[in-house]
Amino acid sequence: SQQGEEDPQALSIQEGENATMNCSYKTSINNLQWYRQNSGRGLVHLILIRSNEREKHSGRLRVTLDTSKKSSSLLITASRAADTASYFCATDGNDYKLSFGAGTTVTVRA
Amino acid sequence: GAGVSQSPSNKVTEKGKDVELRCDPISGHTALYWYRQSLGQGLEFLIYFQGNSAPDKSGLPSDRFSAERTGGSVSTLTIQRTQQEDSAVYLCASSSSGGYYTGELFFGEGSRLTVL
């Protein structure tokens, strides 16, 4: 079953703009992770935020976590054409696996 | 190897035939996962291995699906009597951590299965 749900399903932005996507989940978690998938490829890990953390940065990525609202957001700043991909949130819910959402497809226009 | 390796990358088979998909995880990674991704969809969990044992097989869709892992390394996912609804990309991932806490997963490129 999919624990995380991303919003929006699709996002189109101009190069240089910021992209924000959100993830909501249902049960308590150990951590929440974000992954990127380029078309036809496997998933690549971007960032992990633990349940006791509220914000984390990695390069142009900023992730927030609000456990009271069971939600997370991923912000990509100063987007580039190479950021065009699908982005998935995944939750570790104390059940031996990551549960993935359906993803947000981001298109960055040159 | 440097990353997770999956084979074959593409498999086209006829309905009713059996297929085997192979995953070679990152050396030393004790945890191994199989997921399925249908076109334009998210990832559906299939099975998790810690070493050679599978504590969680809850995601296997039917008894036509089975998986094993030998030597704490290579894993094979077998689908018997394939059906058209089995068509999907099968993704394998490994991790140095596993069990109650799931850390970063390293994914292979996937095996795309098409059942005609």
Side-chain angles (χ1 to χ4, degrees), chain B residues 58-69:
Chain B
S58 63
L60 293 177
S62 73
D63 58 8
R64 296 185 297 103
F65 287 72
S66 63
E68 65 174 12
R69 188 180 185 194

Side-chain angles (χ1 to χ4, degrees), chain B residues 82-101:
Chain B
T82 51
Q83 304 294 313
Q84 288 182 332
E85 62 262 28
D86 300 333
S87 296
V89 176
Y90 290 81
L91 291 163
C92 175
S94 69
S95 175
S96 58
S97 63
Y100 216 56
Y101 173 85

Side-chain angles (χ1 to χ4, degrees), chain A residues 10-62:
Chain A
L11 184 57
S12 180
I13 56 173
Q14 201 73 29
E15 205 165 22
E17 293 180 339
N18 296 342
T20 300
M21 60 211 85
N22 303 295
C23 170
S24 59
Y25 58 93
K26 298 185 177 71
T27 63
S28 63
I29 60 172
N30 285 325
N31 66 64
L32 185 144
Q33 304 179 32
W34 286 90
Y35 287 78
R36 183 186 73 225
Q37 184 179 37
N38 290 91
S39 182
R41 308 296 298 274
L43 279 74
V44 174
H45 180 263
L46 295 176
I47 198 164
L48 180 155
I49 186 165
R50 301 183 196 284
S51 60
N52 61 354
E53 297 176 309
R54 292 295 166 258
E55 187 170 315
K56 205 160 181 182
H57 296 254
S58 176
R60 293 183 295 112
L61 305 179
R62 173 179 168 250

Side-chain angles (χ1 to χ4, degrees), chain A residues 2 30-31 33 35 37 40-45 48 50 88 92-103, chain B residues 33 35 37 40-43 45 48 55-56 58 91 98-110 112:
Chain A
Q2 291 179 350
N30 285 325
N31 66 64
Q33 304 179 32
Y35 287 78
Q37 184 179 37
R41 308 296 298 274
L43 279 74
V44 174
H45 180 263
L48 180 155
R50 301 183 196 284
F88 295 88
D92 171 18
N94 300 317
D95 56 358
Y96 302 99
K97 62 183 178 285
L98 290 184
S99 297
F100 287 80
Chain B
Y33 305 79
Y35 287 86
Q37 185 176 31
Q41 301 296 311
L43 276 69
F45 169 78
Y48 154 68
D56 190 348
S58 63
L91 291 163
Y100 216 56
Y101 173 85
T102 305
E104 175 184 352
L105 299 191
F106 294 81
F107 281 85
E109 296 288 293
R112 180 177 298 277

Side-chain angles (χ1 to χ4, degrees), chain A residues 4-9 22-24 34 87-90 100-104:
Chain A
E5 293 197 6
E6 289 91 342
D7 171 60
Q9 289 187 331
N22 303 295
C23 170
S24 59
W34 286 90
Y87 292 81
F88 295 88
C89 70
F100 287 80
T104 293

Side-chain angles (χ1 to χ4, degrees), chain B residues 31-50:
Chain B
L32 186 147
Y33 305 79
W34 284 98
Y35 287 86
R36 179 168 72 173
Q37 185 176 31
S38 300
L39 188 63
Q41 301 296 311
L43 276 69
E44 176 188 4
F45 169 78
L46 297 179
I47 189 168
Y48 154 68
F49 286 93
Q50 184 62 247

